[in-house]
Amino acid sequence: MDFSSDTSAPAHPAVLEAMARVNSGTEPSYGNDSVSKHLREVLARTLETEDFEFWLCASGTASNALALSCFCPPTGAVLCHEESHIARDERGAPEFFSGGGKLQLLGGKGAQIDETALRQALAAIDHGFVHETPAHVLSLTNLTESGTAYSRETLAHYAALAREAGLTVHLDGARIANALVNTGASLAEMSWQAGIDVLCLGLTKTGAVGCEIIILFGEARKKAPELRARAKRAGHMPPKMRYLSAQALAMLDGGLWLDLAATANQRAKQVADMLCKHPGTELLHAVQGNEIFVRLDNKVADALRQAGASFYPWLEGSYRLVTNWKTGEDTVERLSKLVV
Ligand SMILES: Cc1ncc(COP(=O)(O)O)c(C=O)c1O
């Protein structure tokens, strides 16, 4: 009954099998291998475009920080939600990798940026005024840090506003599969077709060992040489890239990643419904992915803990429960016996 994080989950066996399959013979290093070349073909199919460049990382923090550093200069800022992972959970990595770029925090419910706040921040950009830090990038997250999903339409609307103001649009997609399953949008619709310039496509939380893909679309492709140089300098140039590519292939080719996210989302709904049977339960946000943010009656929280359930305390006395591809219906069943 481990609801602490989706990163606590094991990797899916298909991912390990794919890594084992590429584990023979020699291959060129640093992404020049045949497995990574095959990944490009599968990515093109998955993204429904050839107009992209990509790079692989083992952590979401590295992919966000590297991606942002290519578009935010040391004298610029990234607009992001005040609860975003890049602002709250990355120990200053985006600022460090960009050489001092600033994060400009915006509010909004359910960790989704409020449109008025976004419009005000965009209107206030003045590159000629030396006393303020002009925004160069808008960073959005889907699934958000509150477990809600931006619709494809909202994402496209925000991206259009940001692009009109000359910004690059970054999407932190550490849990994008969960958002896609929830909204029914395709990856193409939720990324380049919505005006996203740079996508950090996360597969680790979905079921990989450790595999995040930075994808540059359209004009942003020009930054590919810089991205590679920054990856090298930052120590994020995996010499045996084929093992990362093998993970991505196992997840993307055939749609396993969406199946796994669908299971995780379904379990989250079941857990939330079950917790809500208790009158003392209050859901803080709609459950639109694999995360539940909830206030629980103290007796229920204690009973769950004593029975061995693990989950994190969250803001203002609430709790966060996260499901993953391996969360079984039996686990939900066990939990339901404790919520009385
Ligand atoms: C929204 C979001 N982005 C990025 C990350 C990256 O995390 P990590 O560096 O642990 O792979 C996380 C992890 O919790 C996350 O929730």
Side-chain angles (χ1 to χ4, degrees), residues 30-41:
Y30 305 116
N32 296 312
D33 57 279
S34 62
V35 189
S36 302
K37 290 199 173 103
H38 182 203
L39 175 58
R40 194 191 151 87
E41 290 163 25

Side-chain angles (χ1 to χ4, degrees), residues 3 267 270-271 274 327-337:
F3 297 100
R267 295 292 173 270
Q270 290 169 330
V271 170
M274 182 268 296
T327 308
E329 278 183 296
D330 55 330
T331 304
V332 182
E333 191 77 6
R334 273 179 73 197
L335 214 58
S336 77
K337 297 205 172 88

Side-chain angles (χ1 to χ4, degrees), residues 275-312:
L275 292 173
C276 286
K277 285 194 179 138
H278 192 282
T281 300
E282 185 198 345
L283 275 185
L284 300 186
H285 307 289
V287 177
Q288 295 174 334
N290 65 327
E291 296 180 289
I292 304 154
F293 295 84
V294 69
R295 254 189 214 103
L296 294 173
D297 184 286
N298 286 341
K299 280 190 198 135
V300 173
D302 290 346
L304 295 181
R305 285 241 174 77
Q306 274 162 22
S310 55
F311 45 92
Y312 281 116

Side-chain angles (χ1 to χ4, degrees), residues 58-62 64 85 90 141 143 145 172 174-175 205 212:
S59 86
T61 300
N64 278 336
H85 198 268
E90 299 192 353
T141 309
L143 200 69
E145 288 77 359
D172 176 347
R175 294 190 181 87
K205 294 171 192 302
E212 312 281 320

